[in-house]
């Protein structure tokens, strides 16, 4: 093989994997490869933490971070676990955790947690409990990213609105004041509200009305229920009342960024896209309580390591995981909510005004169903949400169709 071909292959491999050039591992250092999908500003924050770790552990442990876009991340992790080459530490979204844990490819860490006195009382309850599978702990939560209400301060002030809404009645009143149709043609120049990601927005309403994609015992659909129908009716009523556009053909987030939408529900991870928007003054608040139950959709990034590591590698990987968790205030500054209570109580975190507002919801966040079959059936729920809110199918019919398809999958498992 010629030097040119070797160089060409190396360059192609670099482009495919998304590797970054990092200092070489020194003699005596243990290498810990760390895979994640943090390809945005969050990745820059994580790079800072990794650089600090390497500086403090020089001569002992060297962490190598590799960013792989989420679109291909799980395929690459799966191949690495199945055929070799998996990293010592990798991130899993909380809704993918059951799938990997159920196949026995994640390392149990109960002994390490107990040895180092890492008490669950130090963490927010829901993210901590999500790291267990069949009674065995296999991950540490890095963060929690709940949905929240973003609102335009200039538009609020212009309309004489002094505070964000906290319930459905207040929400409708505020949205009505913020919806402006100058021409009276039924096509407002400014919307009071707009649905963004239908997946998270719809789950939030389902949760507040006491249901989810699956039943509580995870054995059947939770969609063909009166609770799900009431949740969808509530979402539709906001559109029918002229307070929000139909999602079809609307870039709601761009509308919020450019001042054409006054309120939008999105995750805390979208904050950084707003800070870069010129002339946009915004703030955040907890999601209003639309239904009878206080609940909000949320996700979480979990730190895991594969089973089968040598003792030295396992100890080094655990040291790295602990460091990421203990220094997650830096991660929070990039647009996340930490889950260590000691960090949440610091002045440094309280100064992060947007993240602090989102954190007010941590006691009632709801994750997506922790089912090994979740990723096989989630698309049926998304299709129903889209059909209902774009009014291409009646709610009852769309929910029944989703339920039938979900139950068919579950019955075959």
């Amino acid at each position: 093989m010629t030097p040119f071909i070797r160089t060409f292959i190396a360059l192609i491999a670099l482009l495919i994997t998304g590797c970054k050039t990092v200092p070489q591992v020194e003699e005596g250092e243990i290498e810990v490869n760390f895979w994640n999908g943090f390809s945005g500003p969050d990745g820059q924050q994580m790079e800072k933490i990794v650089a600090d770790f390497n500086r403090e552990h020089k001569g002992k442990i060297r962490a190598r971070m590799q960013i792989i876009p989420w679109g291909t991340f799980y395929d690459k992790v799966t191949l690495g676990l199945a055929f070799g080459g998996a990293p010592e530490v990798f991130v899993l979204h909380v809704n993918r955790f059951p799938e990997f844990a159920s196949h026995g490819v994640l390392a149990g860490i109960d002994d390490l947690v107990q040895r180092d006195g890492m008490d669950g009382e130090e963490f927010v309850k829901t993210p901590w409990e999500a790291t267990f599978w069949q009674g065995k702990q296999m991950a540490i939560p890095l963060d929690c990213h709940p949905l929240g209400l973003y609102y335009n301060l200039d538009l609020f002030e212009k309309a004489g609105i002094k505070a964000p809404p906290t319930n459905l009645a207040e929400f409708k009143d505020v949205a009505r004041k913020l919806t402006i149709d100058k021409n009276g043609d039924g096509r407002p120049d400014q919307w009071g509200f707009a649905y963004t990601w239908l997946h998270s927005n719809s789950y939030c309403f389902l949760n507040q009305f006491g249901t989810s994609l699956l039943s509580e015992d995870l054995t059947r659909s939770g969609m063909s229920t009166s609770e799900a129908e009431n949740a969808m009716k509530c979402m539709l009523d906001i559109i029918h009342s002229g307070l929000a556009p139909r999602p079809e053909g609307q870039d709601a987030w761009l509308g919020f960024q450019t001042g054409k939408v006054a309120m939008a529900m999105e995750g805390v991870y979208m904050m950084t896209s707003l800070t870069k928007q010129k002339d946009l003054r915004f703030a955040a608040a907890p999601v209003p309580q639309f239904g009878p139950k206080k609940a909000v959709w949320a996700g979480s990034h979990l730190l895991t390591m594969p089973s089968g590591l040598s003792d030295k590698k396992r100890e080094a990987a655990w040291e790295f995981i602990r460091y990421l968790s203990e220094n997650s205030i830096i991660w929070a500054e990039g647009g996340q909510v930490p889950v260590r209570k000691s960090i949440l109580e610091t002045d440094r975190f309280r100064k992060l005004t947007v993240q602090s507002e989102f954190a007010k919801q941590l006691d009632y966040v709801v994750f997506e169903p922790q089912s090994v079959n979740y990723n096989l059936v989630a698309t049926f729920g998304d299709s129903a949400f889209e059909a209902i809110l774009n009014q291409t199918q009646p709610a009852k019919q769309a929910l029944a169709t989703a339920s039938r398809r979900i139950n068919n999958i579950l019955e075959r498992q």
Side-chain angles (χ1 to χ4, degrees), residues 152-164 173-174 177-178 180 190:
N152 186 305
L153 285 169
D154 287 332
L155 298 182
F156 265 58
E157 290 173 7
K158 189 176 180 180
I161 302 168
K162 299 187 181 299
D173 180 59
V174 168
K177 291 176 180 177
L178 291 166
I180 300 173
Q190 176 182 301

Side-chain angles (χ1 to χ4, degrees), residues 134-156:
Q134 296 181 344
K136 191 174 184 180
Q137 190 165 12
M138 298 180 177
I140 293 296
L142 175 63
D143 57 35
C144 183
H145 37 269
L147 208 62
L149 183 74
Y150 290 99
Y151 59 100
N152 186 305
L153 285 169
D154 287 332
L155 298 182
F156 265 58

Side-chain angles (χ1 to χ4, degrees), residues 41-55:
D42 51 1
Q44 296 172 13
Q45 291 298 113
M46 185 56 71
E47 285 175 349
K48 291 179 184 178
I49 307 176
V50 172
D52 288 344
F53 175 86
N54 285 337
R55 184 167 52 252

Side-chain angles (χ1 to χ4, degrees), residues 19-135:
C19 287
K20 291 182 176 290
T21 302
V22 295
Q24 294 297 311
V25 177
E26 296 182 0
E27 186 177 353
E29 287 182 327
I30 300 173
E31 182 179 77
V32 171
N33 290 288
F34 174 41
W35 289 5
N36 60 65
F38 304 138
S39 56
D42 51 1
Q44 296 172 13
Q45 291 298 113
M46 185 56 71
E47 285 175 349
K48 291 179 184 178
I49 307 176
V50 172
D52 288 344
F53 175 86
N54 285 337
R55 184 167 52 252
E56 293 180 26
H57 292 77
K58 186 174 178 61
K60 298 177 182 178
I61 306 171
R62 165 70 60 179
R64 289 179 178 271
M65 185 168 90
Q66 181 174 343
I67 298 173
I68 304 165
W70 290 120
T72 57
F73 178 81
Y74 287 104
D75 288 339
K76 185 158 186 178
V77 169
T78 299
L79 288 172
L81 291 169
F83 301 107
E88 285 74 28
V89 177
F90 56 95
V91 171
L92 289 178
H93 286 96
V94 67
N95 63 350
R96 299 299 299 263
F97 173 72
E99 177 186 343
F100 285 83
S102 66
H103 285 95
V105 295
L106 304 182
I109 58 173
D110 296 89
D111 58 326
L112 299 172
V113 170
Q114 292 167 13
R115 182 195 70 190
D116 292 354
M118 189 178 282
D119 192 346
E121 292 299 315
E122 162 63 3
F123 290 79
V124 176
K125 182 179 179 182
T126 299
W128 179 260
E129 291 181 345
T131 63
F132 291 80
W133 181 255
Q134 296 181 344

Side-chain angles (χ1 to χ4, degrees), residues 165-340:
T166 62
N167 55 49
L168 181 59
E170 291 178 1
F171 174 83
K172 284 187 172 182
D173 180 59
V174 168
R176 192 169 288 109
K177 291 176 180 177
L178 291 166
T179 300
I180 300 173
D181 184 358
K182 294 180 181 178
N183 299 321
D185 59 3
R187 291 179 293 180
D189 307 275
Q190 176 182 301
W191 289 101
F193 176 73
Y195 293 111
T196 54
W197 187 27
L198 294 189
H199 180 87
S200 62
N201 285 205
S202 300
Y203 267 91
C204 187
F205 276 81
L206 288 175
N207 296 154
Q208 290 196 4
F209 279 83
T211 190
S212 186
L213 182 76
L214 302 181
S215 61
E216 193 171 341
D217 63 4
L218 307 178
T219 62
R220 63 190 185 283
S221 170
M223 299 282 280
S224 190
T225 61
S226 60
E227 292 84 0
E229 195 169 347
N230 288 336
M232 293 297 106
K233 284 181 178 178
C234 186
M235 294 184 78
L236 272 174
D237 182 58
I238 292 170
I239 296 174
H240 291 158
S241 298
L243 308 177
R246 289 196 302 178
E248 187 176 41
Q250 298 287 334
D251 190 332
W253 192 243
L254 179 61
F256 182 79
Q257 288 177 303
T258 55
K260 294 180 180 179
V261 172
M263 296 184 291
M265 295 196 313
E266 256 300 352
V268 65
Y269 42 78
M270 296 299 285
M271 181 198 74
T272 54
S273 70
L274 299 179
T275 58
K276 297 176 182 178
Q277 189 70 28
K278 187 178 179 181
D279 300 328
L280 175 64
R281 291 178 60 240
F282 71 96
V287 167
Q289 188 172 343
F290 299 104
K293 184 179 179 182
K294 211 165 190 178
V296 63
W297 174 92
S300 177
H301 294 114
L302 307 183
L303 300 168
T304 64
M305 51 185 174
S307 57
L309 294 178
S310 68
D311 289 343
K312 282 188 177 181
K313 285 278 190 178
R314 186 170 183 259
E315 286 290 343
W318 173 244
E319 178 66 20
F320 180 61
I321 287 174
R322 283 185 55 211
Y323 189 90
L324 295 182
S325 174
E326 291 168 358
N327 291 275
S328 53
I329 182 61
I330 303 173
W331 180 239
E333 289 169 344
Q336 295 286 347
V337 176
V339 290
R340 293 185 78 109

